[in-house]
């Protein structure tokens, strides 16, 4: 039996993952895999990456004991992994710095990316500016409306933002459009995907770059508590901050893993984005995984108050972890997420992004029923500045 | 002998390249498809590629994307497409009908179910642009059980070594994607297309017919690719464009389609080479 951390094996996580793409991209994916494995083994690359993660991206991020929230809930101890303090305000920078270096090594000076909330687009624009690469970002029109501040941020950073008007005009359509661009310009262009999704080797590459989150947690909690955590909780859109959190603990079977999806207006309403909790197996965006689809395999329009979770698929490694029962996946509604958003803001003085507010909401649900000796780590994948307008609108407050 | 192979053989004997026409089934409505197919057949297509629309067609440009949107809006479902294929094949038993769709549609129906229904509908071949040879063993095994051809694609970025592997997985014909890019009408035939045809012809060495698609829309394109050694041409976006431009005038639509296909078929005659 392989260790769980040995996956992917042949590009697969059990039967999930793989490569389902137009033939035009196959040589690029093979080339990318080779380049990545070489870079991974290259000490100079690792050193460069480490330098940029610390000096540019501000790592390591703190593991903060949320004392007030813990006391209020009266149960397990809650720690927050403060990815909101990383450069750009989210975990996304861990991946974009890594992949931008890879693009540079491969001699590709044009970088394309998709973005939902705009966080990955911003993080891509930042990494590309720092490394002297040209960035072009695909973003759904609907998301541009929801996250207009991030659109301007990307432009300030020198990136070009392409509005995507097809389909539901959200993240999935931005990925479609980025894939179409890549098929057309594959010889000169690096596709810097923003989550643990897409064809192999992307889910592996993004997970590896995001694993810095979990490795830091491992070390920090040992320093603070002298032992590993009992429970890790992270939100799951495509699943990159969750995979980055879980991966270093996959073979520590005593650590429980929870991935929190967006239940939107409620799973029963059909207006949600909970691919693992309410979806079925399919093949989408180059990977075999859980997707939200109708009877005929048409991909369904999703809903979540948080643009970053509004995606009808999920990384194949999560599908695998669900299948074998290593991680559990749950869903939190818009309302519950907003309540957690407000709670953390007031009790801890930290305004979280709406995406990790889902993870927090789940922690707040279970913490009171746990003992005071239990330790929960919640990955606070981003800060909430980008979401204040959305929350104000949700609450009916004029600002 | 399977229908596609027989068709290429008889065209070869007559000194003709194959003209393969693509339409998205149900565009703009399900009722249109049989009459549009008739017009294309009357115009002179040798094989019909019938698309099952998918919500997220990543290999398609704006024209075929819009066709998929119209067809899905019209309520088209995969089983309906197979039913239409069956009806067309009853009227034209020698016409190979090839289903084109994305893998999730097939996956969702289940491979066994999909191919057995396709067989009942007299489908001759299947093209799934996001099915790679690496993922294809079960897909090919089940297709072969039902005597249905699996047509794989090769692209300008595909190495000769890989073209060889793709040919080993293919039956019916080898589909050459003529350009770096998605489907759509293009002005000129590019250097990369010519190169690919030459490379694929050399690797294939007559083992399997070669048809070229993506960006093929003009008689001159077809003449050129046939002269370079291709056995057939696949035309899609331009057909969809004609449908789109005459969407409210069916008579005009069918007339223009027929006229257009006639011109293309003429260009596919090898005798017409200079
Ligand atoms: C702050 C934040 N958290 C989480 C996500 C969801 O992505 P993933 O599931 O890949 O971590 C996003 C995506 O935009 C985000 O901005």
């Amino acid at each position: 039996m392989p260790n769980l951390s040995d996956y992917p094996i042949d590009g697969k996580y059990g039967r999930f993952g793989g490569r389902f793409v137009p033939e035009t991209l196959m040589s690029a994916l093979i080339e990318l895999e080779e380049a990545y494995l070489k870079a991974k083994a290259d000490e100079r690359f690792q050193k460069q990456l480490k330098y940029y993660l610390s000096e540019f991206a501000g790592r390591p991020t703190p593991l903060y004991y949320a004392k007030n929230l813990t006391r209020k809930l009266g149960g397990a101890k809650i720690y927050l992994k403060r990815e909101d303090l990383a450069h750009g305000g989210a975990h996304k920078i861990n991946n974009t710095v890594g992949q931008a270096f890879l693009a540079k090594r491969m001699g590709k000076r044009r970088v394309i990316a998709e973005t939902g909330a705009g966080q990955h687009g911003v993080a891509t624009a930042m990494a590309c500016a720092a490394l002297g690469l040209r960035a072009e970002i695909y973003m759904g029109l609907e998301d541009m409306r929801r996250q207009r501040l991030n659109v301007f941020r990307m432009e300030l950073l020198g990136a070009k933002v392409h509005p995507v008007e097809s389909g539901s005009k959200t993240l999935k359509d931005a990925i479609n459009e980025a894939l179409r661009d890549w098929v057309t310009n594959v010889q000169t262009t690096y596709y810097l995907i923003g989550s643990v999704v897409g064809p192999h080797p992307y889910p592996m590459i993004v997970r590896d770059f995001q694993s810095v989150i979990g490795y830091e947690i491992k070390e920090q909690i040992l320093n603070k508590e002298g032992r590993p955590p009992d429970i890790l909780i992270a939100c799951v859109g495509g699943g990159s901050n969750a995979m980055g959190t879980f991966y270093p603990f996959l073979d520590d079977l005593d650590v429980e893993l929870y991935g929190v999806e967006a239940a939107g207006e409620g799973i029963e309403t059909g207006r949600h984005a909970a691919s693992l909790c309410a979806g079925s197996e399919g093949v989408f965006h180059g990977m075999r995984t859980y997707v939200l689809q109708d009877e005929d395999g048409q991909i369904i329009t999703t809903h979540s108050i948080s643009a970053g979770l509004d995606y009808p698929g999920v990384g194949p490694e999560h599908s695998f972890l669900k299948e074998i029962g290593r991680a559990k996946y749950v869903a939190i509604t818009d309302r519950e997420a907003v309540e957690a958003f407000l709670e953390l803001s007031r009790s801890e003085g930290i305004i979280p992004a709406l995406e990790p507010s889902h993870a927090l909401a789940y922690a707040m649900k279970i913490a009171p029923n746990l003992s005071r000796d239990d330790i929960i780590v919640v990955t606070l994948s981003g800060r909430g500045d980008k979401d204040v307008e959305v929350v104000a609108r949700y609450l009916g407050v004029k600002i | 002998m399977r229908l596609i192979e027989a068709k290429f053989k008889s065209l070869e004997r007559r000194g003709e390249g194959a003209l393969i026409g693509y339409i998205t089934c149900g565009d703009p409505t399900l009722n249109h498809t049989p009459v549009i197919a008739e017009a294309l057949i009357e115009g002179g297509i040798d094989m019909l590629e019938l698309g099952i629309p998918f919500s997220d067609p990543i290999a398609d440009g704006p024209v075929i994307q819009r066709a998929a949107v119209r067809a899905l809006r019209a309520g088209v479902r995969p089983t309906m497409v197979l039913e239409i294929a069956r009806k067309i094949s009853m009227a034209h038993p020698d016409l190979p009908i090839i289903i084109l769709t994305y893998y999730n549609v097939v996956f969702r129906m289940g491979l066994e179910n999909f191919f057995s229904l396709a067989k009942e509908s007299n489908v001759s071949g299947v093209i799934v642009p996001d099915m790679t040879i690496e993922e294809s063993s079960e897909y090919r095994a089940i297709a072969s059980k039902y005597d249905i051809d699996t047509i794989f694609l090769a692209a300008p970025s595909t190495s000769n070594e890989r073209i060889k592997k793709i040919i080993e997985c293919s039956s019916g014909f080898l589909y050459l994607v003529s350009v770096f890019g998605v489907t759509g009408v293009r002005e000129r035939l590019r250097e990369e297309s010519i190169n690919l045809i030459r490379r694929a012809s050399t690797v294939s060495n007559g083992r399997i017919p070669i048809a070229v698609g993506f960006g093929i829309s003009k008689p001159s394109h077809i003449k050129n690719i046939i002269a370079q050694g291709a056995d057939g041409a696949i035309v899609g976006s331009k057909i969809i464009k004609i449908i789109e431009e005459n969407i409210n005038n069916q008579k005009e639509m069918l007339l223009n389609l027929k006229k257009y296909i006639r011109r293309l078929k003429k260009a596919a005659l090898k005798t017409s080479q200079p």
Side-chain angles (χ1 to χ4, degrees):
Chain A
M1 274 294 280
N3 286 326
L4 290 177
S5 52
D6 293 339
Y7 288 90
I9 295 167
D10 281 340
K12 295 251 165 81
Y13 307 87
R15 66 174 182 279
F16 299 102
R19 281 177 177 150
F20 298 86
V21 292
E23 171 61 26
T24 308
L25 296 180
M26 279 307 290
S27 61
L29 291 171
I30 293 164
E31 182 196 7
L32 173 63
E33 183 175 10
E34 282 167 5
Y36 171 68
L37 292 177
K38 234 186 238 161
K40 190 177 169 184
D42 178 353
E43 240 167 77
R44 233 193 61 223
F45 177 83
Q46 293 296 349
K47 234 165 121 182
Q48 261 178 339
L49 182 60
K50 205 162 176 200
Y51 175 84
Y52 270 81
L53 284 181
S54 98
E55 305 296 312
F56 180 65
R59 304 208 70 88
T61 59
L63 183 68
Y64 181 67
Y65 174 43
K67 192 172 71 201
N68 302 334
L69 187 64
T70 299
R71 195 174 297 148
K72 205 159 165 185
L73 295 171
K77 268 182 151 175
I78 298 179
Y79 280 89
L80 304 174
K81 179 57 175 166
R82 299 289 307 274
E83 294 300 297
D84 60 314
L85 294 177
H87 182 42
H91 67 294
K92 299 283 176 186
I93 194 82
N94 306 330
N95 170 44
T96 59
V97 166
Q99 285 201 62
F101 265 118
L102 201 52
K104 206 165 170 165
R105 262 174 87 100
M106 294 174 72
K108 314 234 158 158
R109 309 204 70 90
R110 177 176 181 262
V111 170
I112 55 170
E114 81 294 340
T115 196
Q119 291 303 101
H120 175 59
V122 167
T124 301
M126 285 172 167
C128 287
L131 300 188
L133 302 166
R134 215 164 85 232
E136 296 184 31
I137 314 291
Y138 287 93
M139 186 171 191
L141 255 187
E142 169 65 16
D143 287 336
M144 289 177 76
R145 188 185 63 74
R146 286 196 277 195
Q147 302 287 350
R148 56 206 174 117
L149 268 179
N150 270 343
V151 175
F152 189 56
R153 280 170 91 200
M154 287 183 262
E155 287 166 353
L156 285 175
L157 292 159
K160 188 165 165 35
V161 182
H162 298 290
V164 175
E165 299 187 43
S166 56
S168 57
K169 306 177 175 58
T170 60
L171 181 56
K172 95 173 162 77
D173 309 286
I175 295 181
N176 290 343
E177 223 39 70
L179 283 168
R180 290 182 186 119
D181 180 315
W182 203 33
V183 168
T184 308
N185 302 300
V186 64
Q187 292 157 298
T188 58
T189 298
Y190 184 95
Y191 180 20
L192 203 164
I193 209 163
S195 191
V196 286
V197 299
H200 179 68
Y202 280 112
M204 169 181 79
I205 292 178
V206 178
R207 175 201 70 192
D208 287 356
F209 286 138
Q210 289 295 359
S211 299
V212 66
I213 301 173
Y215 286 116
E216 285 178 11
I217 292 174
K218 221 170 191 177
E219 193 180 318
Q220 289 165 323
I221 200 74
L222 218 57
N223 287 338
K224 286 177 203 291
E225 295 281 349
R227 68 178 186 90
D230 298 291
I231 294 173
L232 298 174
I233 305 178
C235 66
V236 177
S240 70
N241 87 86
M243 250 357 282
T245 302
F246 297 170
Y247 182 69
F249 294 92
L250 284 183
D251 292 306
D252 302 348
L253 298 180
D254 291 337
V255 181
E256 287 181 60
L257 312 173
Y258 287 93
V260 186
E261 298 192 304
E265 293 173 7
I267 301 273
E268 66 292 347
T269 67
R271 287 180 50 76
H272 60 81
S275 321
L276 288 163
C277 294
S280 51
E281 261 186 81
V283 174
F284 182 51
H285 284 160
M287 55 183 166
R288 178 165 173 177
T289 191
Y290 275 82
V291 294
L292 292 167
Q293 57 184 334
D294 71 10
E295 260 177 277
D296 295 337
Q298 309 296 348
I299 304 304
I300 288 175
T301 305
T302 51
H303 166 83
S304 166
I305 190 169
S306 90
L309 302 185
D310 210 349
Y311 179 62
V314 66
E317 194 163 10
H318 286 294
S319 293
F320 175 60
L321 295 177
K322 173 192 159 86
E323 178 91 358
I324 61 169
R326 175 63 189 97
K328 293 196 182 67
Y329 295 89
V330 296
I332 284 290
T333 63
D334 290 349
R335 173 164 301 283
E336 292 168 315
V338 169
E339 279 164 12
F341 174 98
L342 298 174
E343 181 58 44
L344 196 75
S345 302
R346 285 181 196 142
S347 64
E348 296 291 350
I350 298 169
I351 302 180
L354 280 170
E355 290 84 6
S357 295
H358 289 71
L360 263 175
Y362 189 71
M364 287 163 55
K365 253 189 190 174
I366 62 170
N369 303 322
L370 296 169
S371 112
R372 280 165 206 238
D373 303 327
D374 286 330
I375 300 169
I376 298 178
V377 176
V378 179
T379 295
L380 203 63
S381 57
R383 67 171 185 238
D385 306 42
K386 69 179 176 61
D387 293 320
V388 290
E389 256 189 288
V390 175
V391 171
R393 207 176 306 133
Y394 185 84
L395 299 173
V397 178
K398 264 220 158 72
I399 49 172
Chain B
M1 194 187 299
R2 290 186 185 171
L3 211 49
I4 296 176
E5 188 186 353
K7 177 64 85 175
F8 272 107
K9 287 236 159 87
S10 81
L11 287 170
E12 165 101 62
R13 275 197 301 274
R14 300 207 303 261
E16 297 177 23
L19 180 62
I20 304 169
Y22 169 85
I23 50 174
T24 300
C25 192
D27 169 33
T29 73
L30 211 53
N31 290 337
H32 278 84
T33 300
V35 275
I36 289 174
E38 278 309 319
L40 300 181
I41 295 164
E42 234 178 274
I45 58 165
D46 300 299
M47 303 183 210
L48 177 67
E49 228 183 79
L50 202 54
I52 304 179
F54 178 54
S55 54
D56 296 81
I58 53 170
D60 285 306
V63 174
I64 296 183
Q65 283 178 47
R66 287 199 296 272
V69 169
R70 286 192 294 268
L72 288 172
R73 208 172 277 154
V76 173
R77 308 191 51 184
T79 46
M80 299 173 182
V81 178
L82 293 174
E83 181 54 26
I84 287 200
R86 197 180 60 83
K87 282 192 181 138
I88 297 171
S89 82
M90 300 236 285
H92 304 278
D94 295 332
L95 178 86
I97 299 178
I98 297 159
I99 292 289
L100 185 142
T101 194
Y102 288 82
Y103 189 48
N104 199 46
V105 171
V106 176
F107 182 86
R108 185 68 168 160
M109 277 179 89
L111 283 167
E112 190 69 45
N113 189 23
F114 173 81
F115 279 108
S116 76
L117 281 177
K119 184 68 193 170
E120 281 170 31
S121 310
N122 297 324
V123 166
S124 296
V126 177
I127 303 174
V128 177
D130 57 347
M131 170 53 74
T132 53
I133 52 171
E134 284 80 357
E135 305 289 349
S136 71
S137 60
E138 198 187 354
Y139 164 83
R140 280 184 290 126
I142 296 176
S144 141
K145 185 168 116 188
Y146 290 101
D147 268 329
I148 292 177
D149 287 327
T150 50
I151 296 148
F152 283 86
L153 297 87
S157 54
T158 310
S159 67
N160 286 1
E161 196 185 324
R162 208 175 147 79
I163 289 177
K164 193 163 159 246
K165 285 192 205 152
I166 292 174
I167 288 175
E168 280 161 15
C169 295
S170 301
S171 49
F173 62 90
L174 172 68
Y175 188 141
L176 296 187
V177 176
S178 75
V179 290
F180 283 100
V182 291
T183 56
V185 174
R186 286 169 181 88
E187 200 42 43
R188 302 167 56 93
L189 207 60
R190 304 216 187 118
E191 196 61 35
E192 70 215 33
S193 318
I194 310 282
N195 268 333
L196 177 61
I197 297 168
R198 290 197 182 138
R199 287 198 293 125
S201 303
T202 310
V203 176
S204 161
N205 199 15
R207 252 187 303 169
I208 190 165
I210 290 172
V212 183
F214 281 52
I216 308 296
S217 62
K218 294 182 172 178
S220 63
H221 298 157
I222 294 181
K223 255 188 199 162
N224 202 342
I225 61 169
I226 301 279
Q228 297 299 333
D231 304 289
I234 303 160
V235 178
S237 292
K238 180 68 187 189
I239 292 175
I240 309 269
K241 256 191 160 163
I242 294 174
I243 294 171
E244 201 169 49
E245 281 161 10
N246 299 281
I247 209 148
N248 294 316
N249 188 341
Q250 188 170 319
K251 212 171 125 204
E252 202 62 20
M253 180 196 292
L254 300 178
L255 211 67
N256 285 335
L257 284 172
K258 248 179 270 180
K259 262 202 301 211
Y260 173 62
I261 295 297
R262 265 194 207 114
R263 276 174 54 222
L264 294 186
K265 182 60 207 186
K266 228 184 258 166
L269 304 181
K270 289 178 187 167
T271 46
S272 76
Q273 301 302 318

